[in-house]
Amino acid sequence: MRVLKFGGTSLANAGCFMTVADIALQSAAREQIALVLSAPAKVTNLLVALVDAAAAGGEAREEFEAVRKIIDPLVAELAERYPQYDRQRVERNIAATLELVEQRARGAALLRQCPEKVAAFIESRGESFSIAIMAELLSALGRQIRILDPVRLMLAEGGVMESQVNIEVSRERYLRMGIDAQAIVLMSGFVGGDAHGDLVLLGRNGSDYSAACLAAAALLASC
C-alpha cells in the first residue's frame, strides 16, 4: 500500500480538496493507497488559539467563527460542484464535532485552565474535518472508502501532547483490521492512542510522522 500525506496548504479550500481527490483516484488506479490528512490550512492554529482563549476564561467566539468561515464555504462549494456530495451528512458531522469542542472549551473556561487531554482533543479536530470532507468527496466520485481511527490503530507512548508510535504493536493492530484491497484508506494525521485508548498528539507536524508510521505498519504487515 502506498501512503500519500497531504498537509494543510494542500487542503486549504475546495479546489485543493478536488486536486487531492484527483491525485488519489489516479494513484488508486495503479495500487492501493492511503491518504493521511492534516487539518485545512490555518485551522489547527485557530484551535490552539481557542484552547488558549478558553484557558484564560474567554468564550473563544472569534476562533469558533474563524474556523466556520474556513470549513463552511469549502463544504458548500464541493456540494455545488458534485451532485452526489452529501452536504447535510458532512455538516452534521462537523456540527457534532464543534459542539463537543464547545462543551470542552466551556469547561476549560470555567476552570480557567485546559487539561492536556482536553487540549489534545480540541487541537486535533481539524484533521477530523478533513477526513469527513474527503471521505464524502471520494464517495461522491464512486470510490469505496475505509477510514482508519488512528487512536485505535497507532499505539502512542509518551506525553499527551507529544508521543511516539510503537510500530510493532500498531502493525499487529493493522493486520487485525482486515482492510479491503479495493478501498481507498483515509486516516487523520497528528494523533494516536495511549495504552488506555485515550487520544494523544504526536506533536506539531505530527501528520508527517503519522504517514510514516502507517506506511511502516502496512509494509511490515505485508511481509
Side-chain angles (χ1 to χ4, degrees):
M1 182 172 68
R2 185 180 181 192
V3 178
L4 307 177
K5 185 265 177 180
F6 293 93
T9 303
S10 300
L11 301 167
N13 53 47
C16 291
F17 269 84
M18 288 185 272
T19 297
V20 170
D22 286 342
I23 293 171
L25 293 179
Q26 292 171 21
S27 299
R30 299 187 295 271
E31 58 188 323
Q32 185 174 30
I33 65 165
L35 306 182
V36 174
L37 305 182
S38 296
K42 301 181 181 179
V43 169
T44 299
N45 287 341
L46 286 168
L47 293 172
V48 171
L50 189 157
V51 167
D52 291 342
E59 294 185 353
R61 286 293 99 199
E62 290 184 6
E63 290 79 9
F64 272 108
E65 290 174 8
V67 170
R68 296 304 299 252
K69 285 180 180 178
I70 294 171
I71 299 299
D72 290 351
L74 198 163
V75 173
E77 185 174 344
L78 290 174
E80 182 177 350
R81 179 67 180 269
Y82 300 98
Q84 300 304 314
Y85 193 91
D86 192 334
R87 176 178 179 177
Q88 290 185 340
R89 177 161 55 191
V90 177
E91 288 179 338
R92 284 195 303 269
N93 183 314
I94 291 170
T97 299
L98 286 173
E99 184 176 352
L100 292 174
V101 169
E102 189 167 12
Q103 290 171 358
R104 286 160 173 75
R106 282 200 302 267
L110 289 172
L111 293 172
R112 288 187 172 272
Q113 61 177 324
C114 190
E116 285 190 334
K117 286 189 177 182
V118 174
F121 174 82
I122 292 174
E123 292 177 15
S124 63
R125 291 310 85 200
E127 281 74 12
S128 74
F129 298 154
S130 291
I131 293 296
I133 294 165
M134 183 60 72
E136 188 56 42
L137 176 55
L138 291 172
S139 294
L141 292 169
R143 289 306 307 239
Q144 179 184 347
I145 304 302
R146 174 68 184 273
I147 298 175
L148 299 184
D149 179 357
V151 177
R152 293 181 55 215
L153 173 61
M154 299 291 182
L155 175 63
E157 301 166 335
V160 173
M161 304 304 286
E162 187 160 358
S163 288
Q164 296 77 45
V165 173
N166 183 317
I167 297 296
E168 182 60 29
V169 173
S170 301
R171 178 193 70 85
E172 294 170 0
R173 292 177 175 181
Y174 179 88
L175 277 170
R176 293 196 296 269
M177 288 185 170
I179 297 170
D180 190 324
Q182 302 305 311
I184 293 178
V185 175
L186 297 178
M187 189 182 85
S188 298
F190 191 31
V191 301
D194 65 15
H196 304 291
D198 294 327
L199 183 150
V200 297
L201 301 185
L202 304 181
R204 291 304 295 264
N205 301 315
S207 290
D208 291 341
Y209 181 42
S210 298
C213 291
L214 176 58
L219 178 61
L220 290 171
S222 66
C223 294

